[in-house]
Amino acid sequence: MAEVALLANISVNLQKILKNKITVLSVLAFVVALSCVFAFAGNTAEPEIQEISSTESIADEVETSPEIFAGYGIYVDGYFVAATHTSEQANNVVAASLANRVASFGIDASLNNSFNNSVEIIFGDYSSETYVEDIASLMGESVFNYSGEQLPVNLSVTSVSTYSENVVLDYETKTVYTDSMKDGTTKVVQEGFNGEGIQTYEITSLNGVEISRNPLCLEVTTQAVEEIVRVGTSADGMTTASLANFVRPYNPEDGLVISSYFGYRWGTNHNGLDICRNGGCFKDAVVAASAGVVINAKDSRNGYGNCVIIDHGDGITTLYAHLNQCLVEPGDIVEAGEEIGLIGNTGYSFGPHLHFEVRIDNVPVNPLMFVDYE
């Protein structure tokens, strides 16, 4: 029916063309075109239909394409372990892993513990598959990454602690050579005693095993006392007679006063001379009566106050008491007339003065046997 209608339509159009006196050439062209239309009618190829994937295949393809998120990656010795979404989570993971390793080695958790490895938290873009819920479980005796692959690293723990112990401080021995004693003879003029102290160490351990111990500080509780030994170098040596002319330990230009002499006084023995000066002698200079080695220079705490004792060899010592200040130290070698202290009023004293003693084998003798104060 459609073809009949089409022919009728062509006929009407042909009549219109003829009426309008169209040339024969135009009619022929129209007929040829019409013939081509009929020639290809019904032979048009159907379009190719492509096969479309099922809904399940599309979903699978989406699921296997990981997304990228900004987060914080955890690295051990440069190897990537896994990622977290926040820095707080990453820090908590590292802390939990460290606590687990500390416990596994039996280390005191209160110590200064840290990983011996390089453990870093780095911000960046990480695939969704690298975000793991329990990362701390991956960082144990062996270290694994997010995919379960074992990494070539071992997590070790360094611990730092302090330790203190009582120690003995050995005394030192000082040898003084002198021609005031015969050659080859020796005398201990000050006995040495060991001291005591508390030594504190910094101890570094690896996985609970000590690897180093470094001294930090030493608290001295009892000071060691130096031993002083005199060694004679003289062929003749010093004798008591050779010491008969000591110099005056205190010799002001004027106003010299001997306020108390050697002997019985106030119901007891007075073992030396008390020397002062009219007009006051506070902080006047005191000198060594003879050459020797200082064996004491401190507060004697037995009534003498600040006191200097000098050993002159051959069992002879001199003592200078109640000083305001000692100007020498034990072990110092002094010459006759050398300043050793300043007159004071320390210890059992009623006013500034110098208490001066001479002793032979630690027995007090009259200083006027050696010093000319007449």
Side-chain angles (χ1 to χ4, degrees), residues 44-57:
T44 305
E46 294 186 2
E48 182 180 354
I49 301 175
Q50 295 181 348
E51 185 176 350
I52 301 175
S53 301
S54 67
T55 304
E56 292 182 358
S57 298

Side-chain angles (χ1 to χ4, degrees), residues 175-179 181-182 184-187 229-233:
T175 302
V176 179
Y177 296 91
T178 175
D179 58 4
M181 295 171 57
K182 291 182 180 180
T185 60
T186 62
K187 179 183 178 182
V229 180
R230 290 175 66 91
V231 177
T233 59

Side-chain angles (χ1 to χ4, degrees), residues 34-71:
L34 183 60
S35 298
C36 290
V37 171
F38 281 104
F40 289 100
N43 296 326
T44 305
E46 294 186 2
E48 182 180 354
I49 301 175
Q50 295 181 348
E51 185 176 350
I52 301 175
S53 301
S54 67
T55 304
E56 292 182 358
S57 298
I58 295 174
D60 291 340
E61 185 175 346
V62 172
E63 288 180 0
T64 57
S65 299
E67 296 183 78
I68 303 299
F69 298 101

